[in-house]
DNA sequence: TATGAATGAGCATTCATTCAT
DNA sequence: CATGAATGAATGCTCATTCAT
């Protein structure tokens, strides 16, 4: 207590695991999973490749660990959502919280989005898909009108992709997030009201 | 009569280039660009790797050639759109045609969508981005309300992603496409009307 | 006769063989034998690789044919030399004629000089070595003093290497050749006189 | 006693880098750079190709490292020579020391001599050329008579080539070296005295 | 906690060569 | 005379992974 080993030390030594995750995610998001080699990660950290293997059993496990850490809040959110009544308010709340949760996990989601082909064959692929379906099932009844289902999927995609597609636009990120959120909320709301289908069109 | 000399045999030899493109796209879309090796492509075609190099200078060039062939109609569409007045009707027409054009190019777009990290560093990455911006500039004024811009981007993403995300849903593909189209059209229409910004909604 | 097929045609069509040799030697001398591919030669000639195989059975045979053509005068020279009495005058004459002969065969000799490692394993390697020994045996008795033998070898090397080593020097090529010739003649003359081994050796 | 713990065993592992260089130089000199594959080097060492890449980044770097190690004494010699007065004694001393230095670096120089076409495009090509010019500038004034310049170049070439050209001659190597040295010294001495030009001879 | 040394499998690419047309 | 299409063997190189220290 009160002594020097108060976190600084924890941050110097003993946080290699964390640093690996940080750099790995950065590189994965930037260049893709396959094009990022362990050599590159190790070099950036100024350790040897073998050191990575002290902390993680495989390359995939590095990714898995990142995913588990960063996607936890979102999993919690889904768990919470499942227990709520599927009212419009719940749905809007889910979308709002989801949008918030994505901020912290942005690089991970950018990675997931841009490396789907790779991710699909990885262990996290299934997990991720499950979660997406989890959210979808909260946002809309699987038996709902097709158009409304599309609206919900669209809402989710809008939130996922929105950020980094809008990345090269001017303007402050929070404003963009709000814009994305508004569009997503709209979509979910419309879907909930069941405006879908040709009736609306006639 | 009418079909000279069978054609099938004649085509057996002499269409290798096309067959390479077909198999390559199939594998690229299925497993990703990096994870698909030229050995695999060659084996599926029952030729040697060296044969691929007779027809294409590099692995990337195989992809480029596929892209150039399949994305041509979409490029044409954009060119056409640029010359039209930016009325609501034009926008809806663009969306409708775009949706149609995507059917033929579906596997390619699936590939582009799922391999963005890879594609970004390839020659076609820039080209693709340019086209997307081309469409966006037809659908919405770059100075428009942020929310409306998001709506347009969302419309495009909905069309891109819609198909294969909905792939595992029951129901006939054309019906799904119509549903996607409807949502996209809605989004573009709303964007055009400038309902963006929360004030308009309250 | 008197008609159009008077040599022009011979030069247009029908001289592909010659053109292959010319380009091949140029590239071999410039980049080395191994680093020059048949593809490159074919491209420069604007024919297909297969066309090369119509004219020559193998890559090596292209080189052999060049060698046989260009080195003929030198072979003749050696034959002539063998039948002469081994007087100083003969030796000086050989050196003089050799120096002259090298002008026409310069690119070939440059190639031989700069690709000895490669050439050694090729068929022409033995042939070339034989000729060199042939000249040496004219210039000096194999039982002569070691120093004088070195002088003769040095004379030959001076002539071989002289040209392209002096290539990057200013001055007209013929002047350089004369200089090289003078040094070579000196060496042979000294060797002949048996000055070998300085006072220190006597 | 005096030799701790044998040393041989300790060196078995841990000197792979050196062993690679040794075998590589041997093969490069014997077969040429291009015709020597990394597979071959690896096989001779009974390690995998990948092991070579642990110690050297590229094939070229193996050669560069050999060159850097073996040509160091010669570089030192040139540096030394540059600071001396350009008297006849200095020149003769340079030639003598150069001849000595070449003994240790013989296989490397044989390689350089026999693979000029290849070496020219490699990084060491320029370096080597620079050194040769360095020596030349010590041995003779660049404005000297052309014939005398040739004498100096000839002296250098004689030393380079002398050894392995005389390789297939009987007799002990040191005697041959002395013979080569004598001829080279003669040439440099004559060049220094400015006997060049036929006038001087008549 | 880490490293030094190495492996085995794989990859994109190139090459000389062949042969039916 | 020449081409179009293909092959088999090789090459330099990279990667994820292992393990003794």
């Amino acid at each position: 207590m009160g002594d020097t080993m108060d976190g600084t030390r924890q941050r110097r030594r003993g946080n290699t695991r964390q640093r690996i995750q940080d750099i790995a995610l950065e590189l994965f998001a930037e260049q893709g999973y396959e094009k990022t080699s362990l050599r590159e990660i190790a070099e950036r950290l100024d350790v040897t490749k073998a050191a990575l293997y002290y902390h993680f059993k495989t390359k995939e496990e590095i990714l898995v660990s990142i995913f588990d850490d960063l996607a936890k809040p979102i999993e919690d959110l889904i768990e919470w959502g499942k227990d709520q009544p599927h009212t419009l308010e719940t749905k809007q709340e889910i979308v709002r919280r989801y949008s918030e949760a994505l901020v912290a996990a942005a690089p991970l989601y950018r990675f997931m989005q841009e490396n789907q082909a790779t991710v699909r064959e990885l262990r996290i692929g299934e997990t991720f898909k499950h979660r997406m379906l989890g959210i979808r099932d909260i946002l809309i009844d699987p038996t709902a009108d097709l158009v409304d289902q599309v609206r919900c999927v669209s809402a989710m995609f809008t939130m996922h992709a929105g950020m980094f597609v809008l990345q090269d636009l001017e303007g402050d990120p929070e404003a963009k997030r709000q814009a994305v959120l508004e569009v997503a909320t709209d979509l979910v709301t419309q879907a909930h009201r069941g405006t879908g289908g040709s009736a609306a069109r006639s």
Side-chain angles (χ1 to χ4, degrees), chain A:
Chain A
M1 8 74 160
D3 73 37
T4 52
M5 61 153 88
D6 60 2
T8 351
R9 188 242 205 158
Q10 189 191 0
R11 208 157 275 152
R12 294 268 129 133
R13 299 273 115 221
N15 66 340
T16 304
R17 195 189 146 91
Q18 176 70 37
R19 288 171 60 227
I20 293 172
Q21 291 177 314
D22 291 349
I23 292 289
L25 179 52
E26 185 183 327
L27 293 176
F28 287 164
E30 197 178 297
Q31 322 176 331
Y33 178 76
E34 328 261 3
K35 301 237 307 188
T36 301
S37 69
L38 295 188
R39 177 179 55 67
E40 202 174 353
I41 297 176
E43 261 166 22
R44 283 273 291 254
L45 289 165
D46 207 43
V47 295
T48 56
K49 265 186 294 174
L52 304 185
Y53 279 89
Y54 177 81
H55 293 281
F56 300 94
K57 263 211 292 276
T58 64
K59 183 185 182 185
E60 184 172 351
E61 216 202 45
I62 299 181
L63 178 56
V64 169
S65 79
I66 294 170
F67 181 80
D68 285 348
D69 289 5
L70 268 80
K72 183 64 168 40
I74 286 164
E75 194 175 10
D76 292 346
L77 173 61
I78 297 172
E79 287 316 307
W80 173 85
K82 276 184 176 154
D83 297 338
Q84 302 305 114
H86 288 194
T87 62
L88 178 57
E89 283 68 36
T90 301
K91 292 176 184 180
Q92 290 173 340
E93 180 72 6
I94 283 276
V95 168
R96 209 179 44 71
R97 291 205 194 178
Y98 192 61
S99 170
E100 266 165 18
L102 282 178
V103 173
L108 174 64
Y109 270 74
R110 182 183 166 204
F111 168 78
M112 301 292 287
Q113 181 80 16
E114 295 189 345
N115 292 269
Q116 284 172 75
T118 297
V119 161
R120 200 175 336 124
E121 335 235 275
L122 262 32
R123 191 153 70 63
I124 57 174
E126 254 335 86
T127 312
F128 186 68
K129 199 173 174 183
H130 258 53
R131 294 199 187 161
M132 291 307 102
L133 295 179
I135 297 209
R136 200 200 53 185
D137 289 349
I138 298 172
L139 294 185
I140 193 85
D141 190 295
T143 67
D145 182 277
L146 193 54
V147 173
D148 288 325
Q149 288 196 49
V150 172
R151 282 211 175 81
C152 286
V153 170
S154 185
M156 284 164 59
F157 255 80
T158 299
M159 286 190 286
H160 289 169
M163 310 150 181
F164 32 92
V165 168
L166 269 49
Q167 209 173 22
D168 34 320
L169 235 65
E170 92 304 342
D172 107 290
E174 179 57 17
K176 288 188 229 167
R177 209 201 97 223
Q178 288 295 345
V180 164
L181 174 55
E182 186 169 332
V183 173
T185 305
D186 265 18
L187 283 162
V188 166
T189 305
Q190 286 171 46
H192 180 81
R193 292 192 179 133
T195 62
S198 34
R201 242 144 79 284
S202 64

